[in-house]
């Protein structure tokens, strides 16, 4: 349970207005008294609620959304869907981006605790390996829902897609059409999305007896240049693949660019398949096989899970957190 200004005042035998002023560093409060109050507040895990101090009320209708990068079309689509849902249900959606920076993500959580937001929906950065900073939300009873890139060491519901299953199916579909040398360009295993896709690729190759395995893991930003570098590594080998699966639209663009430089035709010489929506893939020439992710369903499920928990009272004992896996589809 969160400690309040009145709790601190009662335990230190001072007036609650004195506590409030001390936490705001009001010069009217004696130095010794202010130090005593701030020290006790920090010891008890009290976070200064800036909105309460300024506005006499917390942002109990504000939902915070944390995404790695708003320039990524997947996340921009999620933002659009959640904005509509929040507006329809009389909530305000406040959007934050970590820019794939762990320290910034930690700082954002601190600010959201200070603002005493109603709840948080988050997809973590590619540098995040632990949920310790998100557990701070648990301690102050702010509801939390993860989506897409999720963590399992914080109390939260989660919404993901069937990444392992869909990549395994994609390998099987390519193998069934006669493509037996299938390469894979993806991200690091510690991010659940890419770890699941990598496992799906491995399972698919094994299941279909392809006898060829080439996976390039991209640790840097997913963009056209990193896609080109991955393609250069793949197509400079002695054995040339006849299909490539990419985990990102921008990586796919880089791969296609390099194939053009090598005078390899799509799909005659090499089939390219990748994650990305139908609109973006229609801009490519020739079009590639696309995995369409359940963006609208994911936004809707995450929003409903958060609202359910907020209405239930935050973090009641033995709360039934949900893990929802939605279906992507090959188009």
């Amino acid at each position: 349970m969160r400690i309040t200004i009145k709790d601190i005042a009662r335990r230190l035998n001072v007036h609650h207005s004195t506590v409030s002023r001390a936490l705001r560093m009001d010069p009217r409060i004696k130095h010794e008294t202010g130090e005593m109050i701030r020290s006790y507040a920090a010891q008890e895990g009290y976070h200064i609620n800036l909105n309460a101090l300024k506005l006499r009320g917390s942002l109990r209708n504000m939902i915070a959304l944390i995404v790695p990068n708003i320039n990524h079309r997947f996340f921009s689509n999620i933002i659009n869907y959640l904005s509509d849902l929040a507006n329809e249900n009389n909530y305000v959606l406040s959007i934050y981006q970590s820019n794939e920076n762990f320290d910034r993500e930690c700082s954002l959580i601190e600010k959201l605790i200070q603002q005493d937001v109603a709840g948080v929906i988050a997809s973590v950065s590619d540098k995040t390996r632990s949920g310790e900073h998100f557990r701070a939300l648990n301690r102050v009873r702010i509801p939390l829902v993860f989506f897409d890139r999720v963590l399992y060491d914080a109390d939260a519901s989660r919404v993901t897609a069937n990444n392992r299953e869909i990549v395994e199916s994609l390998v099987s579909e390519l193998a069934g059409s006669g493509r037996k040398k299938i390469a894979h360009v993806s991200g690091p295993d510690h991010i659940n999305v890419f770890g699941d896709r990598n496992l799906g690729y491995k399972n698919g190759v094994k299941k279909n007896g392809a006898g060829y395995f080439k996976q390039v893991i991209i640790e840097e930003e997913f963009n056209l240049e990193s896609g080109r570098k991955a393609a250069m590594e793949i197509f400079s080998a002695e054995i040339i693949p006849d299909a490539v699966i990419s985990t990102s639209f921008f990586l796919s663009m880089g791969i296609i660019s390099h194939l053009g430089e090598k005078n390899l035709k799509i799909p005659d010489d090499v089939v390219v398949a990748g994650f990305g929506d139908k609109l973006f893939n229609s801009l490519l020439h020739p079009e590639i096989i696309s995995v369409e992710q359940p963006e609208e369903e994911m936004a809707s499920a995450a929003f409903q899970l958060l609202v359910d928990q907020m209405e239930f009272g935050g973090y009641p004992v033995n709360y039934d957190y949900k893990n929802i896996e939605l279906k992507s589809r090959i188009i």
Side-chain angles (χ1 to χ4, degrees):
M1 182 177 295
R2 303 184 206 182
I3 189 171
T4 66
I5 285 178
K6 289 185 177 180
D7 292 331
I8 297 172
R10 184 170 57 254
R11 293 172 191 177
L12 296 180
N13 197 28
V14 296
H15 196 272
H16 62 80
S17 64
T18 302
V19 175
S20 177
R21 289 169 182 165
L23 294 174
R24 285 182 290 163
M25 307 292 287
D26 192 313
R28 289 174 292 179
I29 302 299
K30 291 182 180 180
H31 176 75
E32 295 80 7
T33 303
E35 285 293 303
M36 175 188 69
I37 291 171
R38 287 188 291 274
S39 176
Y40 182 82
Q43 175 185 322
E44 294 299 313
Y46 179 82
H47 293 270
I48 300 173
N49 183 338
L50 298 179
N51 287 286
L53 294 176
K54 293 177 182 178
L55 306 175
R56 303 297 182 189
S58 60
L59 296 180
R60 303 314 295 164
N61 72 327
M62 189 180 96
I63 293 173
L65 172 64
I66 302 175
V67 297
N69 192 326
I70 62 175
N71 293 327
H72 192 298
R73 184 166 172 81
F74 170 82
F75 291 115
S76 65
N77 287 343
I78 292 288
I79 289 169
N80 287 335
Y81 292 129
L82 283 173
S83 295
D84 289 342
L85 288 166
N87 183 62
E88 291 166 6
N89 290 274
N90 297 315
Y91 286 98
V92 175
L93 184 71
S94 188
I95 301 158
Y96 303 85
Q97 61 175 339
S98 66
N99 282 333
E100 304 287 17
N101 185 299
F102 175 74
D103 291 335
R104 181 167 181 170
E105 190 175 83
C106 292
S107 177
L108 288 174
I109 295 298
E110 281 293 319
K111 290 176 182 177
L112 296 177
I113 289 173
Q114 291 176 359
Q115 292 173 345
D116 194 24
V117 296
V120 176
I121 299 174
S123 188
V124 303
S125 83
D126 61 7
K127 308 300 187 300
T128 302
R129 292 174 179 264
S130 165
E132 174 59 32
H133 53 309
F134 283 102
R135 289 200 292 274
L137 294 171
N138 301 159
R139 290 191 287 272
V140 296
R141 301 176 65 82
I142 294 178
L144 168 66
V145 173
F146 288 119
F147 75 97
D148 191 49
R149 301 185 193 175
V150 306
L151 297 171
Y152 292 94
D153 59 345
D155 289 336
S157 292
R158 301 165 188 85
V159 186
T160 57
N162 60 332
N163 289 292
R164 180 196 57 76
E165 177 187 358
I166 199 68
V167 173
E168 186 173 332
S169 296
L170 189 52
V171 172
S172 295
E173 183 172 307
L174 290 168
S177 68
R179 306 287 173 160
K180 294 293 186 178
K181 295 178 290 184
I182 305 166
H184 186 224
V185 181
S186 185
D189 281 339
H190 76 268
I191 303 172
N192 65 292
V193 172
F194 307 126
D196 288 346
R197 291 176 186 175
N198 297 343
L199 182 59
Y201 170 67
K202 294 172 185 176
N203 290 348
V205 169
K206 183 178 180 180
K207 177 181 177 181
N208 290 279
Y212 172 91
F213 183 93
K214 178 62 178 179
Q215 181 165 258
V216 177
I217 301 300
I218 306 295
E219 300 281 356
E220 56 191 319
E221 181 182 353
F222 289 178
N223 55 33
L224 190 145
E225 184 57 30
S226 55
R228 287 186 72 256
K229 288 179 181 178
M232 289 172 65
E233 178 179 339
I234 291 169
F235 289 94
S236 63
E238 184 176 346
I239 300 176
I240 301 299
D242 51 22
V244 181
I245 298 172
S246 164
T247 202
S248 157
F249 171 80
F250 291 106
L251 292 177
S252 297
M253 288 181 63
I255 292 167
I256 291 169
S257 173
H258 182 70
L259 291 177
E261 295 169 3
K262 298 277 288 186
N263 293 317
L264 292 170
K265 295 181 179 179
I266 303 171
D268 297 341
D269 298 320
V270 181
V271 173
V272 178
F275 284 76
D277 62 32
K278 191 173 183 179
L279 174 61
F280 260 38
N281 285 339
S282 68
L283 301 176
L284 299 176
H285 183 73
E287 289 189 38
I288 67 174
I289 297 174
S290 178
V291 176
E292 187 175 59
Q293 300 174 89
E295 297 164 350
E296 185 172 6
E297 295 92 332
M298 187 171 287
S300 179
F303 181 82
Q304 191 58 55
L305 286 171
L306 188 72
V307 170
D308 288 347
Q309 189 176 341
M310 290 189 300
E311 292 179 349
F312 208 89
Y315 280 91
V317 177
N318 298 324
Y319 185 76
D320 183 21
Y321 300 106
K322 303 291 194 304
N323 289 292
I324 297 176
E325 183 179 271
L326 302 172
K327 300 289 186 182
S328 296
R329 65 191 186 99
I330 301 170
I331 56 175

